[in-house]
């Protein structure tokens, strides 16, 4: 008899996107002539930068020749990519890392989820709310989250609400928590932490022996000088933080799959006898056991974004999305709506007017302005009363959507 991990049965169904699809289908049935504009897209839409395509084509050719063919690669990734990452993303910001502190992978979703493997189920967990659902669900699967209450909160998780009331600044917990997830620039709220604000978290972590799991998937969207690009810009963060980075949002790799995780040698975890062990060693063991590397072709594609031409092409794509975000922010503010985020991030967090619930306002926007968003309540209890809009659409759609919204909301 094979017993199952019953924690999986505790996970609530993931109905958000299927519920949205159903609402849209039934609207289309009644209004076949209406052209809906989707501002809820949770994926990039611009194709791969040309430099990546070229590099990958070349890599495929190498694979076709016995003299240059590559089989299994080095477990943590090829040096050419690791060195490019260290030089361009860390050294350039005054952070020195050793090659052995970087682990190339197939995605930050897998890495943030899998990292739980090397941590005891006895840890307490803290998260900002609303949040990327992967962090919650992977802790539920491990049995670390406890039970879900009627209010949608798990009993063993410390929630740090981020709402307009606290200006989306999560409050540092009054008690100690073993593991804290931070995601900045944030999905779904599009808000950021300044260097000083992030320093408070690092100080808390150092004082309380807390491990920070820092997801920086949207780093490429940062334009302001006082927003840190990596948590290691903060002094001593190497002692308490692991950082997750992905090529998905910077270079359209959502379908290609490439990311990396930084596990500094200095960050350690406790054993039950109060001794310490290196998380880098454990993660290395975990990856070499259960993961066989990202393809050579993919890693060559990722390397290309660090060339001068690659940087130019990436910048152009991100600038395009950021300009969409600006147009959307301005348009909605013009219409008298209240919005957050959308600067240094591709997400805009719209406060629903007149105290409407996320779902009510989703329906209202669909029926009145023919614009699709994503109900904020799908990202956690504190997302209620908000809608997430993304800047990943086409420019003309963003402009047209703002006109429709202005027509419907201007008093
Ligand atoms: C998109 C996204 C990622 C990237 O995930 P990949 O698996 O690398 O595509 C990671 N974290 C957050 C919060 C995201 O929104």
């Amino acid at each position: 008899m094979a017993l199952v991990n019953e924690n999986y049965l505790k996970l609530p169904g993931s109905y958000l996107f299927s519920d949205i699809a159903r609402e849209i289908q039934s609207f289309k049935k009644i209004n076949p002539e209406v052209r809906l504009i989707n501002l809820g897209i949770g994926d990039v839409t611009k194709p791969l930068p040309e430099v990546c395509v070229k590099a990958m084509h070349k890599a495929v050719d190498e694979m076709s020749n016995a003299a240059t063919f590559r089989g299994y690669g080095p477990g943590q990734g090829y040096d050419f990519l690791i060195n490019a990452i260290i030089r361009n993303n860390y050294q350039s910001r005054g952070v020195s890392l050793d090659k052995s502190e970087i682990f190339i992978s197939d995605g930050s979703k897998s890495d943030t989820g899998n990292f739980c493997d090397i941590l005891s189920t006895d840890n307490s967990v803290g998260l900002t709310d609303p949040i990327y659902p992967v962090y919650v669900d992977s802790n539920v699967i491990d049995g670390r989250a406890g039970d879900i209450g009627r209010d949608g909160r798990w009993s063993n998780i410390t929630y740090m609400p981020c709402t307009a009331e606290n200006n989306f600044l999560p409050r540092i917990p009054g008690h100690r928590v073993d593991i804290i997830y931070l995601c900045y620039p944030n999905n779904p709220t599009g808000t950021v932490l300044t260097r000083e604000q992030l320093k408070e978290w690092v100080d808390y972590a150092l004082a309380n022996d807390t491990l920070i799991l820092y997801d920086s998937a949207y780093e490429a969207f940062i334009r302001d000088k006082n927003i840190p690009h990596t948590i290691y810009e903060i002094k001593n963060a190497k002692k308490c933080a692991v950082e997750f980075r992905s090529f998905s949002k910077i270079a359209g790799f959502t379908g290609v799959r490439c990311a990396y995780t930084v596990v500094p040698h200095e960050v350690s975890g406790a054993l039950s006898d109060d001794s310490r062990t290196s998380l880098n060693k454990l993660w290395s063991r975990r990856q070499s056991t259960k993961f066989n590397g990202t393809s050579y072709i993919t890693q060559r594609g990722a390397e290309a974004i660090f060339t001068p031409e690659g940087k130019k092409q990436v910048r152009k794509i991100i600038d395009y999305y950021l300009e969409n975000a600006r147009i959307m922010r301005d348009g909605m503010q013009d219409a008298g709506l209240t919005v957050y985020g959308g600067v240094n991030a591709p997400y805009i967090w719209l406060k629903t007017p007149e105290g409407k619930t996320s779902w009510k306002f989703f329906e209202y926007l669909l029926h009145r302005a023919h614009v699709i968003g994503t109900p904020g309540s799908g990202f956690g209890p504190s997302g209620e009363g908000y809608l997430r809009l993304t800047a990943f659409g086409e420019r003309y759609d963003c402009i047209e959507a703002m006109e429709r919204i202005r027509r419907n909301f201007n008093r």
Side-chain angles (χ1 to χ4, degrees):
M1 182 171 58
L3 294 170
V4 301
N5 176 353
E6 291 189 29
N7 292 321
Y8 275 88
L9 308 181
K10 287 185 171 184
L11 289 169
S14 171
Y15 303 120
L16 179 66
F17 291 97
S18 54
D19 285 352
I20 292 172
R22 182 152 21 80
E23 290 262 351
I24 295 170
Q25 279 322 311
S26 65
F27 177 87
K28 278 186 176 165
K29 218 178 236 168
I30 308 165
N31 308 281
E33 76 295 348
V34 172
R35 188 178 84 87
L36 293 174
I37 296 179
N38 189 352
L39 296 184
I41 313 167
D43 195 351
V44 295
T45 55
K46 293 274 159 216
L48 293 174
E50 223 177 281
V51 286
C52 302
V53 176
K54 274 200 190 135
M56 290 165 86
H57 277 160
K58 180 159 172 269
V60 171
D61 288 340
E62 288 176 47
M63 294 298 248
S64 71
N65 182 335
T68 48
F69 168 78
R70 314 261 184 152
Y72 290 125
Q76 282 189 220
Y78 283 100
D79 277 357
F80 62 76
L81 180 55
I82 294 177
N83 288 333
I85 289 167
I86 291 177
R87 227 180 10 255
N88 291 281
N89 289 352
Y90 293 97
Q91 262 171 23
S92 62
R93 306 198 181 280
V95 176
S96 62
L97 287 174
D98 187 72
K99 276 190 322 201
S100 57
E101 293 175 304
I102 307 240
F103 297 79
I104 309 292
S105 75
D106 63 353
S108 284
K109 184 177 196 170
S110 7
D111 284 353
T112 51
N114 290 337
F115 211 81
C116 288
D117 274 18
I118 65 165
L119 300 166
S120 160
T121 51
D122 291 335
N123 288 303
S124 55
V125 174
L127 338 130
T128 55
D129 171 32
I131 199 61
Y132 185 53
V134 177
Y135 316 151
V136 183
D137 289 359
S138 37
N139 279 292
V140 171
I141 289 169
D142 276 8
R144 214 176 275 118
D147 295 299
I148 193 164
R150 279 221 193 96
D151 61 357
R153 291 183 171 87
W154 294 86
S155 54
N156 291 348
I157 288 184
T158 298
Y159 288 82
M160 304 177 286
C162 296
T163 60
E165 284 70 37
N166 62 10
N167 212 11
F168 300 93
L169 280 181
R171 235 213 7 245
I172 302 227
H175 55 282
R176 63 168 307 283
V177 176
D178 299 310
I179 303 166
I180 281 184
Y181 289 83
L182 295 176
C183 172
Y184 288 98
N186 188 257
N187 177 9
T189 64
T191 56
V192 289
L193 289 185
T194 63
R195 207 164 273 117
E196 293 68 40
Q197 288 161 345
L198 185 57
K199 180 177 182 305
E200 290 182 32
W201 285 96
V202 171
D203 290 346
Y204 167 87
L206 293 168
N208 290 281
D209 198 0
T210 297
L211 173 67
I212 295 179
L213 298 178
Y214 192 74
D215 185 345
S216 195
Y218 297 94
E219 176 274 336
F221 291 82
I222 296 172
R223 290 288 186 265
D224 285 355
K225 293 259 181 299
N226 63 338
I227 310 296
H229 287 254
T230 155
I231 193 169
Y232 305 120
E233 286 179 46
I234 314 296
K235 196 165 172 240
N236 288 327
K238 272 198 208 169
K239 296 191 167 106
C240 63
V242 166
E243 179 164 283
F244 302 93
R245 289 267 199 112
S246 172
F247 292 95
S248 283
K249 312 302 172 11
I250 182 172
F253 270 49
T254 50
V256 176
R257 313 303 303 143
C258 193
Y260 59 94
T261 291
V262 183
V263 191
H265 289 301
E266 290 170 60
V267 66
S268 67
L271 278 65
S272 46
D273 65 3
D274 280 345
S275 62
R276 310 286 296 198
T277 194
S278 148
L279 291 191
N280 180 289
K281 279 206 185 105
L282 293 189
W283 185 240
S284 169
R285 194 71 180 84
R286 191 271 171 211
Q287 288 299 77
S288 60
T289 302
K290 294 196 185 182
F291 181 63
N292 239 343
T294 307
S295 83
Y296 173 70
I297 299 162
T298 298
Q299 292 189 60
R300 280 295 185 198
E303 179 198 19
I305 74 163
F306 296 111
T307 58
E309 185 53 30
K311 285 179 188 172
K312 246 188 260 167
Q313 291 177 12
V314 162
R315 177 91 187 188
K316 199 168 153 210
I317 297 171
I318 305 285
D319 280 349
Y320 179 90
Y321 293 139
L322 283 172
E323 177 62 8
N324 280 352
R326 190 196 59 78
I327 289 167
M328 289 160 64
R329 270 178 68 92
D330 288 358
M332 287 183 286
Q333 280 169 350
D334 261 9
L337 294 166
T338 306
V339 294
Y340 304 93
V343 181
N344 302 300
Y347 296 118
I348 289 174
W349 196 236
L350 169 59
K351 178 96 194 86
T352 65
E354 296 149 17
K356 281 193 171 67
T357 65
S358 295
W359 272 103
K360 273 269 170 294
F361 190 62
F362 164 84
E363 288 171 350
Y364 184 84
L365 208 59
L366 173 65
H367 288 266
R368 293 282 300 270
H370 307 149
V371 169
I372 301 164
T374 308
S377 51
F379 300 96
S382 299
E384 182 56 271
Y386 296 88
L387 206 72
R388 190 188 75 173
L389 302 177
T390 79
F392 291 131
E394 291 292 339
R395 178 67 45 79
Y396 61 83
D397 270 346
C398 294
I399 294 170
E400 161 90 19
M402 291 311 110
E403 274 163 20
R404 293 182 185 180
I405 286 175
R406 261 189 231 111
R407 273 203 299 277
N408 276 282
F409 292 94
N410 252 344
R411 300 127 300 184

